[in-house]
Amino acid sequence: MTKKQMVQRWLTKWGWILLYIVLMSGAVLYIMQGGREPIEDNSQEKITLTFRHFWIKEHDRPLLAIFEEVVKEYQGAHPNVKVNFEGLDQTIHREQKLKSEMVTGTPPDMFVLFGGAEIEPYVRSNRLMDLTDFAEENGLKDQFKDLRLWTFNNHIYGLPIEGNAEPLYYNRTVFNKLGIKVPGTLAELDAAIVQLKLQGYIPFALGNEDRWPAGIFAHYLMDRYAGPDLIQKLVTGKDGASFGNSYYKQAFRHFGQWVHENAFSPDSNNTSTENAVRLFTSGKAAMYLNGNWDINLFSGENAPADFQNEVGVIPFPALDGGEKASIAGGYTIGIGLSSSLTGAKREAALELMKALYTQETQKRIVYEGLRIPSMRITFDPNKTGPVFAQVMDLMENNQQSFVPYDNLLSPEVKKTFLSVIEEMIDGGLQGDEALKELQAASRQYWKLIRSSAIQ
C-alpha cells in the first residue's frame, strides 16, 4: 500500500468518526437548547370533548352560529383537542337522555342545561363539576348578573349563558284597528279575547308541541292569583302548602275558561313554535306569549318586512289595576361540565369554558342572537331592533320578576305540571282535577325525599 493510499484510508476512517462527533455534538446542543431529537414524537396528548347543546330550532340559528364559531376558533388554537359539538332536541335531552346518563354516570363532557330544581338532583349525586374555583380564579364570579339558580351550599355547578324574559307580545295594528285597549288587568285581557274572537282573530298563537309553552300561561295565572310566596312554600316542601288551594283553583279555572272560549290557536298541542309564530306574524293571531328567544322569528323571510314595528311588548296583565305586574324570567339556561373529567381533558374543557364566557361572546349573543346577556356588559338596545329594545326597557323599568315555575318545580312534579296543562288544552281535564294530580305528584315527591333523608 502506497503512502498516498494509507493517508486516504486514514482520512476516510477518521473522517466518518469526526463527522459522527460533529453530528452528535449538534444534537446534544439542540436538546440542551430545548429541542428534541427528530425521532422523538413531541405531539400533545390527543383529546376529544363531547359537547351537547339543544340549539337546533329555527329561532336558535343565530345563537348556534355564534357558538360554532367559538368552538372552531378554540380548536384552531388547540390543535390537539377535537370538540364533538352536537345538537339534540331540548325535550329529549332534558327529560330523557341526560337523566339516564346521569344515573349511569355517563353524561357528555359538557352540556347545556337549566339551573334551579332541574340540576339539584345532579348536584346531590355529584354528577356536576364544581366550578366555584374556576369562576373565582378567572374573575368570572362577579361578572354574572345572577348565579342563584346555579349555586347550592355556596358552590357553583354551572354558569348561565343567557338570561330570558317572558312578556306578552301583541299586534298594535290589530288592536288599534279594533279599538281594543291594551290590557293591564286580567279582566281587560278577557274583554280583549272576546272582542278578538268576534272579529275573527285568534287571541293567542300557541305552539305547545314541546309541552312547556302552555305552562307559561299557567304559571302567570298562578302567580297573579296567589302571588310569589305560595310557590316557594310548595317547592321547598313547607307543611300545609298544597296545590289544591283556592288561589290556584281560580287560576286553573281561568285557564280552563280560555280553553273553552277557544282563545288558543287550534290544535296547539301539535303545533310547533315556528308555526305558532307564523300565525302571529301573518296577522291571524293578535297575541303571542313566550320568551325573548323567539324575537328573531318576528323578522326574516317568514314575516312581513315591517312586522317588528307592529309589535308591542307588555307584562302579562295583573290581577287588578292596583298592583304592578311582574315578569317571568331569569338566568336559567347555562352550561355544565361532568364531574368525571380529570387531568388534561378537564383542563381542555375549562379552557373552552373560558372561551365561551367572554364579553365579546356575550355582546354577540345580544346583537346577533337577540338574547339577554347573563354577564354584566354594556350594549346599545337601540341597535338590536324595536322588539328587543322594548323587552330590555321592560326589564329595566320593571324590577319585579319571578323564576318560571318549570325551573322551580322538581323534575318529577314539573312533568305532571306540563302534562295536566296539555290535557286541559285538549279538553280532557278540568282545572280542579288537574290540581289534584299535581298535588298527588308533589306529595309523592316529598315523601320520597323525606324517606331518603331519614335513611
Side-chain angles (χ1 to χ4, degrees):
M1 182 181 293
T2 65
K3 185 175 182 181
K4 183 178 180 179
Q5 289 174 324
M6 290 177 64
V7 171
Q8 288 176 335
R9 184 176 179 183
W10 184 89
L11 286 173
T12 300
K13 176 182 177 183
W14 289 101
W16 282 110
I17 293 173
L18 286 170
L19 179 61
Y20 177 75
I21 292 171
V22 169
L23 290 174
M24 288 300 296
S25 299
V28 170
L29 181 62
Y30 178 68
I31 293 171
M32 289 176 65
Q33 291 176 340
R36 294 289 185 273
E37 291 185 71
I39 59 172
E40 184 177 336
D41 182 7
N42 69 335
S43 60
Q44 293 177 285
E45 178 184 348
K46 302 299 181 184
I47 295 170
T48 298
L49 289 175
T50 53
F51 188 163
R52 185 189 299 149
H53 63 85
F54 46 66
W55 297 309
I56 63 173
K57 298 282 189 177
E58 186 178 340
H59 63 206
D60 292 321
R61 286 177 184 172
L63 207 64
L64 177 61
I66 294 168
F67 292 119
E68 283 180 333
E69 191 172 319
V70 172
V71 169
K72 184 178 180 181
E73 290 177 356
Y74 169 83
Q75 289 184 127
H78 301 79
N80 64 309
V81 182
K82 179 184 178 182
V83 182
N84 288 335
F85 189 60
E86 298 177 344
L88 185 66
D89 175 79
Q90 182 185 146
T91 302
I92 294 174
H93 166 64
R94 292 173 66 188
E95 303 295 339
Q96 301 173 28
K97 200 162 180 64
L98 189 60
K99 283 183 178 180
S100 63
E101 289 167 337
M102 286 298 189
V103 170
T104 58
T106 57
D109 301 319
M110 307 175 70
F111 37 88
V112 179
L113 74 171
F114 282 69
E118 189 164 317
I119 67 170
E120 190 171 2
Y122 305 155
V123 173
R124 287 201 308 265
S125 57
N126 196 32
R127 297 301 194 200
L128 288 176
M129 184 186 296
D130 186 338
L131 296 176
T132 310
D133 291 342
F134 168 78
E136 290 178 349
E137 290 167 4
N138 290 282
L140 289 173
K141 188 175 181 181
D142 295 330
Q143 291 192 45
F144 290 98
K145 293 182 178 180
D146 191 348
L147 287 174
R148 285 177 296 174
L149 294 177
W150 305 90
T151 304
F152 298 87
N153 297 322
N154 296 318
H155 288 262
I156 302 168
Y157 293 93
L159 297 174
I161 198 70
E162 62 172 297
N164 63 80
E166 297 174 352
L168 179 62
Y169 308 98
Y170 71 97
N171 189 316
R172 285 171 169 161
T173 302
V174 171
F175 272 65
N176 290 336
K177 183 176 72 173
L178 301 181
I180 299 176
K181 180 183 179 180
V182 177
T185 66
L186 289 180
E188 291 170 351
L189 181 57
D190 286 337
I193 289 170
V194 172
Q195 286 181 268
L196 288 165
K197 287 293 294 181
L198 287 173
Q199 297 299 323
Y201 288 93
I202 299 168
F204 296 114
L206 173 61
N208 199 44
E209 185 179 66
D210 293 326
R211 294 195 307 143
W212 57 264
I216 299 174
F217 288 91
H219 73 212
Y220 264 125
L221 288 169
M222 293 162 78
D223 176 80
R224 296 309 187 241
Y225 276 101
D229 295 335
L230 182 52
I231 191 65
Q232 293 299 328
K233 292 178 181 178
L234 286 163
V235 299
T236 53
K238 294 287 180 66
D239 290 337
S242 169
F243 281 96
N245 62 79
S246 60
Y247 302 108
Y248 285 177
K249 284 181 179 179
Q250 292 179 76
F252 271 58
R253 286 168 188 166
H254 204 144
F255 184 79
Q257 171 190 320
W258 287 347
V259 172
H260 180 72
E261 293 175 348
N262 295 316
F264 304 109
S265 47
D267 200 26
S268 296
N269 285 333
N270 296 311
T271 301
S272 67
T273 293
E274 292 77 12
N275 286 333
V277 171
R278 289 188 185 104
L279 290 173
F280 182 54
T281 58
S282 68
K284 294 178 181 178
M287 293 180 285
Y288 181 68
L289 179 68
N290 214 314
N292 64 281
W293 49 79
D294 284 341
I295 291 174
N296 55 41
L297 296 179
F298 296 171
S299 60
E301 58 184 24
N302 292 317
D306 200 41
F307 181 75
Q308 284 209 49
N309 291 315
E310 296 184 30
V311 179
V313 182
I314 59 174
F316 191 85
L319 183 62
D320 57 57
E323 60 187 49
K324 196 169 184 178
S326 58
I327 301 174
Y331 299 90
T332 57
I333 304 173
I335 298 173
L337 277 66
S338 169
S339 61
S340 64
L341 287 172
T342 58
K345 197 170 184 178
R346 180 180 186 276
E347 293 306 311
L350 293 175
E351 282 295 314
L352 180 51
M353 287 288 279
K354 279 195 273 186
L356 291 165
Y357 288 92
T358 66
Q359 297 277 316
E360 180 187 356
T361 302
Q362 285 283 296
K363 286 184 178 181
R364 291 189 65 187
I365 286 174
V366 173
Y367 291 123
E368 298 172 38
L370 297 180
R371 305 294 177 95
I372 297 171
S374 63
M375 297 169 69
R376 304 179 192 280
I377 63 169
T378 56
F379 65 93
D380 185 357
N382 295 317
K383 294 181 180 179
T384 61
V387 181
F388 188 81
Q390 287 183 77
V391 172
M392 293 308 299
D393 185 59
L394 202 64
M395 296 295 286
E396 290 294 325
N397 295 320
N398 192 323
Q399 300 299 317
Q400 293 179 300
S401 63
F402 66 91
V403 177
Y405 286 13
D406 59 349
N407 291 118
L408 287 175
L409 297 172
S410 67
E412 294 82 357
V413 180
K414 181 187 77 172
K415 183 177 180 180
T416 302
F417 174 66
L418 299 180
S419 177
V420 296
I421 297 299
E422 180 184 27
E423 288 186 60
M424 286 185 69
I425 289 174
D426 278 340
L429 200 63
Q430 298 301 310
D432 288 6
E433 296 171 328
L435 287 169
K436 285 179 182 178
E437 290 190 23
L438 198 47
Q439 176 58 20
S442 179
R443 189 185 302 113
Q444 178 65 20
Y445 169 74
W446 286 109
K447 183 179 179 181
L448 290 171
I449 291 295
R450 286 161 183 151
S451 64
S452 62
I454 293 172
Q455 294 172 0

